[in-house]
Amino acid sequence: MTTELGTGIDRRQRSADSELRRRAQAVVPNGMYGHQNMNALPAIPQFIARSRGARLWDVDGNEYVDLMCSWGPVILGHDDPVVEQAAEEQRRRGDCLNGPAPILVELAEELVRTVENADWAMFAKNGTDATTMCCTIARAETKRDLILVAEGAYHGAAPWCTPFPAGVTAADRANLLHYRYNDVDSLRAAVGERAADVAAVIVSPFRHDAGFDQELADPTFARDVRAFCDEIGAALILDDVRAGFRLNHGGSWDALGVYPDLTPWSKAIANGYPLAAVTGTDRYRDAAGGIFVTGSFWMGAVAMAAGLATLGELARRGAVAHMRDVGHQLRSGVLDAASRWGFDVHYTGPAQMPNLLFSNDVDHELSIAFSAEAQARGVYVHPKHNWFVSAATTPDDLDMALTGLEGAFAGLRARHPSTTR
Amino acid sequence: MTTELGTGIDRRQRSADSELRRRAQAVVPNGMYGHQNMNALPAIPQFIARSRGARLWDVDGNEYVDLMCSWGPVILGHDDPVVEQAAEEQRRRGDCLNGPAPILVELAEELVRTVENADWAMFAKNGTDATTMCCTIARAETKRDLILVAEGAYHGAAPWCTPFPAGVTAADRANLLHYRYNDVDSLRAAVGERAADVAAVIVSPFRHDAGFDQELADPTFARDVRAFCDEIGAALILDDVRAGFRLNHGGSWDALGVYPDLTPWSKAIANGYPLAAVTGTDRYRDAAGGIFVTGSFWMGAVAMAAGLATLGELARRGAVAHMRDVGHQLRSGVLDAASRWGFDVHYTGPAQMPNLLFSNDVDHELSIAFSAEAQARGVYVHPKHNWFVSAATTPDDLDMALTGLEGAFAGLRARHPSTTR
């Protein structure tokens, strides 16, 4: 793609990436799967060689400033020295053991201190583990089956929640009802006469469905959902897997004064180490203790040590405020550049997790081309999924990002001279 | 418990463990969950401080020879230098990145070389991820819903398969039919007139239901299951999560000449690093490429580097033969000691993954007491779940295990003078 631009930028080498894609085709179905397959656009490098701070390098040696943060997990920056040292110290003692290491208790205590409405914590590996556990706990406590999910919302990739239905049975979804985000009337309508069968409402802190404009939670909606759950005796599950610890050091709806009963966490909780958690209130403690969930690596002590260090460093460094500040500068820069080059863009969501789409962009053609232009200029962004800002972003990183994104709009304009504002 | 024995063994200190259990009760439902809760017997230390080779130390400094291997994952021994070096080299480059590292392709290629019937591989984090993915792939390929599961078999801890039903809905199990292990007639009977609706039969390489005698697969049963799947056009899923790479360097039914269509792997695949995999045949490649499964940490490159090193070292060291040999010596020693002390025991399953139960043992009272006696003598075994032998077991380790287990039978006899053979 970059070879056709004629905008003076270097042609980036991609031969090592192409060769790995070719080999992957032979031994991995489709060459890649899941959200990494969403990444398999020719202009985005598939294979990554190394990373540090807010920078990463693909297998052809091209350098990028990172605005995806490994799709969320990297929050203090890649290879953070404090997190790595904590992980290394635990690793010397042991990781996957016959039982938990003491770090499990320390991390659970820290989460209970950090998360306003958390009376207890449990740990797992995937965000999907955590969202599924919340549903199971809610069902165990309420003795009800139904879960209310917002249309189009992403809560994981198990059969009950995966966004693409191949291999999913009707029974996997039989206990779901759907409402519209930010529309409490749709919640009441979805429930109808079945209020006494509802175990939980699951909701994201903001609407972050990939490929669509993001939408912040209306504070009234958040309060109404909480009141509705209390009214019908259902659990409120706030799915903080994607946004957790980036919007707030604690629950993402704390600023709205709305506290869930159960919260699934993952992604940023351990700066890239594989960890998920569920926190909950005392009402759900016995139910949580009564379900059987487990995994061979769920007691992995290294990820927990990384998690404890991550939570500590996020607080100590004032990471949320820094990410918000960087995000605001990024937003201003992107909106100015888009305007200068005459593009009508939708830059939505919280500053730390923005999503950039283009008006009247059939099949995301413009956003894909923009992303290619950005990648060619050393800015790693995604054409459909929200971006993520890390706390490691320096003024230099931000400059490199804004310069590259300005260039990307310029390059896009050169290729699409007729696109209207 | 050990304080009541009066058999001359040291009273083991457990104060640090007790204190951690007390703290855990405050911040973790029940103090612990999942299979680690099965471990929460007073005589078994809950919290582990460190480990090396075939030894581990609890938080009170007590040393054990390890016959649980972290419930399976540790196969080359704790803290294996070759695996740790491979992991460390990848860690220096990067772990959780914006896309996979090249190690993904190398590991997939190695699995395809190693596993006889594997044409492709995919990676995940939990054994449950892998078993669930196999069901989803089978359903996507066959366009059928039903999965046949052996009664009492463990295939993970998601709602469709968790052995304890709290929080599970009827819909979660609506597409399961049940057969009896080693009984192909029960398979035909379970299917009845619904052969055209069966997506897959899932089966363990041997029957290893916790709390029960283990049962090896009857070779005729294995061949008949394969033939039955072919006859009705269903996938054969061999659940090698627990046994994989311990019974054979490749599929666990290779010795029987029976090859599945889809195989979930996890536990021992990366010597304790969190990794799961699915391998499959070309017939299921398109379906595998068409389902949407993913996780934030599924591309984690460090676990893949550990996996590649583990597979290489298992082959290079002839690990399966060594584990089998150690297992045979363990079996002989245990059976001799049981006989000497007059206990009628059931020591079942493959030599590398034995299970020790006692005849007429109501509520596992004897096996729990035996396990406590063994722990008190520095042998880490489980009273209900199968044990695991690692390739790190030295003659000294085996001596320590056999001496401790002999002492455990002696201690049990002192407490239960009247138990008949």
Side-chain angles (χ1 to χ4, degrees):
Chain A
M1 262 178 170
T2 66
T3 59
E4 302 160 16
L5 290 179
T7 53
I9 60 165
D10 289 340
R11 295 180 181 191
R12 291 208 151 198
Q13 179 62 251
R14 288 281 163 74
S15 59
D17 194 65
S18 300
E19 172 61 10
L20 282 163
R21 287 179 193 238
R22 190 191 61 73
R23 286 169 58 193
Q25 280 292 339
V27 291
V28 176
N30 252 348
M32 193 47 54
Y33 47 95
H35 69 284
Q36 296 291 345
N37 195 39
M38 291 166 63
N39 224 14
L41 302 160
I44 302 186
Q46 177 89 70
F47 289 90
I48 308 297
R50 60 195 177 90
S51 60
R52 183 158 192 89
R55 303 285 172 106
L56 61 90
W57 291 263
D58 67 24
V59 288
D60 289 289
N62 301 305
E63 181 177 358
Y64 302 84
V65 60
D66 184 13
L67 291 177
M68 278 305 284
C69 295
S70 309
W71 301 69
V74 171
I75 188 164
L76 290 167
H78 295 275
D79 200 22
D80 181 79
V82 177
V83 175
E84 293 307 313
Q85 189 185 325
E88 174 58 23
E89 282 171 14
Q90 181 61 52
R91 190 178 298 117
R92 271 188 235 120
R93 293 191 287 272
D95 182 16
C96 180
L97 301 162
N98 285 7
I103 193 80
L104 174 136
V105 179
E106 295 167 40
L107 181 58
E109 288 171 344
E110 179 67 16
L111 276 172
V112 166
R113 272 191 297 269
T114 302
V115 178
E116 177 96 14
N117 61 320
D119 294 317
W120 50 263
M122 297 166 77
F123 301 100
K125 282 290 152 204
N126 300 313
T128 304
D129 298 339
T131 56
T132 305
M133 280 163 69
C134 287
C135 295
T136 306
I137 293 166
R139 285 168 167 155
E141 172 60 27
T142 61
K143 311 276 190 285
R144 304 168 174 184
D145 287 352
L146 297 179
I147 307 284
L148 277 119
V149 183
E151 290 166 9
Y154 182 78
H155 296 295
W160 75 268
C161 53
T162 184
F164 300 100
V168 171
T169 70
D172 294 320
R173 310 289 173 104
N175 285 310
L176 303 185
L177 297 175
H178 291 91
Y179 65 94
R180 283 186 304 279
Y181 199 88
N182 270 340
D183 180 351
V184 79
D185 291 338
S186 74
L187 200 60
R188 292 189 179 276
V191 170
E193 306 295 306
R194 304 175 73 186
D197 300 325
V198 175
V201 175
I202 186 166
V203 63
S204 302
F206 64 99
R207 192 178 166 211
H208 49 44
D209 314 345
F212 295 91
D213 290 338
Q214 302 192 120
E215 202 176 314
L216 297 181
D218 179 333
T220 305
F221 169 74
R223 285 189 291 269
D224 285 353
V225 171
R226 174 72 275 180
F228 180 70
C229 287
D230 292 341
E231 175 191 327
I232 67 171
L236 176 59
I237 302 169
L238 183 67
D239 182 354
D240 237 331
V241 168
R242 198 187 301 180
F245 302 110
R246 231 179 207 96
L247 301 197
N248 180 43
H249 194 65
S252 289
W253 276 5
D254 284 7
L256 307 179
V258 176
Y259 302 98
D261 301 295
L262 296 165
T263 308
W265 309 87
S266 184
K267 286 204 179 276
I269 196 172
N271 206 45
Y273 280 81
L275 188 67
V278 171
T279 57
T281 61
D282 274 332
R283 180 186 166 197
Y284 291 86
R285 185 190 286 263
D286 287 349
I291 69 167
F292 187 85
V293 286
T294 196
S296 297
F297 311 113
W298 286 19
M299 295 293 129
V302 169
M304 292 182 188
L308 188 63
T310 299
L311 293 178
E313 288 303 293
L314 286 169
R316 197 183 64 75
R317 299 182 200 173
V320 169
H322 178 62
M323 289 185 285
R324 191 182 296 127
D325 181 53
V326 169
H328 283 305
Q329 294 179 65
L330 186 65
R331 175 190 286 157
S332 298
V334 167
L335 291 177
D336 287 354
S339 171
R340 262 195 301 283
W341 292 97
F343 288 99
D344 185 12
V345 299
H346 303 200
Y347 192 90
T348 57
Q352 306 94 305
M353 295 170 64
N355 193 31
L356 177 68
L357 296 176
F358 290 75
S359 291
N360 307 314
D361 186 15
V362 179
D363 296 334
H364 295 93
E365 189 194 341
L366 280 174
S367 67
I368 289 170
F370 175 81
S371 168
E373 298 282 348
Q375 301 273 346
R377 288 164 177 85
V379 187
Y380 197 108
V381 293
H382 197 273
K384 301 181 195 177
H385 193 283
N386 73 268
W387 310 347
F388 296 89
V389 168
S390 87
T393 315
T394 64
D396 272 0
D397 295 326
L398 186 61
D399 277 353
M400 179 172 166
L402 289 175
T403 303
L405 293 172
E406 169 96 34
F409 281 115
L412 193 65
R413 177 53 68 213
R415 295 184 65 192
H416 294 270
S418 64
T419 307
T420 56
R421 304 178 59 99
Chain B
M1 265 177 169
T2 66
T3 58
E4 302 160 16
L5 289 180
T7 53
I9 59 165
D10 289 338
R11 294 179 183 193
R12 293 207 149 197
Q13 179 62 250
R14 287 282 162 71
S15 59
D17 194 64
S18 299
E19 173 62 11
L20 283 162
R21 287 179 193 236
R22 191 191 60 74
R23 285 168 60 192
Q25 280 292 342
V27 290
V28 176
N30 252 348
M32 193 45 56
Y33 47 95
H35 69 286
Q36 297 291 346
N37 196 38
M38 292 166 63
N39 226 13
L41 302 159
I44 303 186
Q46 177 90 70
F47 289 91
I48 308 295
R50 61 194 176 90
S51 60
R52 183 158 191 90
R55 303 286 173 108
L56 60 89
W57 291 263
D58 67 24
V59 288
D60 289 289
N62 302 305
E63 181 176 359
Y64 303 83
V65 60
D66 184 13
L67 291 177
M68 278 304 285
C69 294
S70 309
W71 302 68
V74 171
I75 188 164
L76 290 166
H78 296 276
D79 200 22
D80 181 79
V82 177
V83 174
E84 293 306 313
Q85 189 185 325
E88 174 59 23
E89 281 170 16
Q90 181 60 53
R91 189 178 298 118
R92 270 188 237 121
R93 293 191 288 271
D95 182 16
C96 180
L97 301 162
N98 285 6
I103 193 80
L104 175 136
V105 179
E106 295 167 42
L107 181 58
E109 289 171 343
E110 179 67 16
L111 276 172
V112 166
R113 271 191 299 269
T114 301
V115 178
E116 177 97 12
N117 60 319
D119 295 318
W120 50 263
M122 298 166 77
F123 302 100
K125 283 290 153 205
N126 300 313
T128 304
D129 297 339
T131 56
T132 305
M133 280 163 69
C134 287
C135 295
T136 305
I137 293 166
R139 285 168 168 154
E141 172 60 26
T142 61
K143 311 278 192 283
R144 304 168 174 186
D145 287 352
L146 297 178
I147 307 285
L148 277 118
V149 184
E151 290 166 9
Y154 183 78
H155 296 294
W160 75 269
C161 53
T162 183
F164 300 100
V168 172
T169 70
D172 293 320
R173 310 289 173 103
N175 284 310
L176 302 185
L177 298 175
H178 291 91
Y179 65 95
R180 283 186 304 279
Y181 199 88
N182 270 341
D183 180 350
V184 79
D185 290 338
S186 74
L187 200 60
R188 292 189 179 275
V191 170
E193 305 295 307
R194 303 174 73 185
D197 300 326
V198 175
V201 175
I202 186 167
V203 63
S204 302
F206 64 100
R207 193 177 164 211
H208 50 43
D209 313 347
F212 296 91
D213 290 339
Q214 302 192 120
E215 202 177 316
L216 297 182
D218 178 333
T220 304
F221 169 74
R223 285 190 291 269
D224 286 353
V225 171
R226 174 71 274 179
F228 180 70
C229 288
D230 292 341
E231 175 191 326
I232 68 171
L236 175 59
I237 302 169
L238 183 67
D239 181 354
D240 238 332
V241 167
R242 198 186 300 179
F245 302 112
R246 233 181 205 94
L247 302 196
N248 180 44
H249 194 63
S252 290
W253 276 5
D254 284 7
L256 308 179
V258 177
Y259 301 98
D261 301 295
L262 298 165
T263 308
W265 309 88
S266 184
K267 286 205 181 274
I269 196 172
N271 206 46
Y273 280 81
L275 188 67
V278 170
T279 57
T281 61
D282 274 332
R283 180 185 165 195
Y284 291 87
R285 184 189 288 263
D286 287 350
I291 69 167
F292 187 85
V293 285
T294 196
S296 296
F297 311 113
W298 286 19
M299 295 293 129
V302 169
M304 292 182 187
L308 188 62
T310 300
L311 293 178
E313 288 303 293
L314 286 170
R316 197 182 64 74
R317 299 181 199 173
V320 168
H322 178 62
M323 289 185 286
R324 191 181 296 129
D325 181 53
V326 169
H328 283 304
Q329 295 179 64
L330 187 64
R331 175 190 287 158
S332 296
V334 168
L335 291 177
D336 286 353
S339 172
R340 263 194 300 283
W341 292 97
F343 288 99
D344 185 12
V345 298
H346 302 200
Y347 193 88
T348 57
Q352 307 94 305
M353 297 171 64
N355 193 29
L356 176 68
L357 297 177
F358 290 74
S359 291
N360 306 313
D361 186 15
V362 179
D363 295 335
H364 294 93
E365 191 194 339
L366 281 174
S367 68
I368 289 171
F370 176 82
S371 168
E373 298 283 347
Q375 301 273 346
R377 290 165 178 82
V379 187
Y380 197 108
V381 292
H382 197 275
K384 301 181 195 177
H385 193 283
N386 72 267
W387 309 347
F388 295 89
V389 169
S390 87
T393 315
T394 63
D396 271 359
D397 295 326
L398 185 61
D399 276 354
M400 179 172 166
L402 289 175
T403 303
L405 293 173
E406 168 96 34
F409 281 115
L412 193 65
R413 176 53 69 211
R415 295 183 65 192
H416 294 271
S418 64
T419 307
T420 55
R421 305 176 59 99

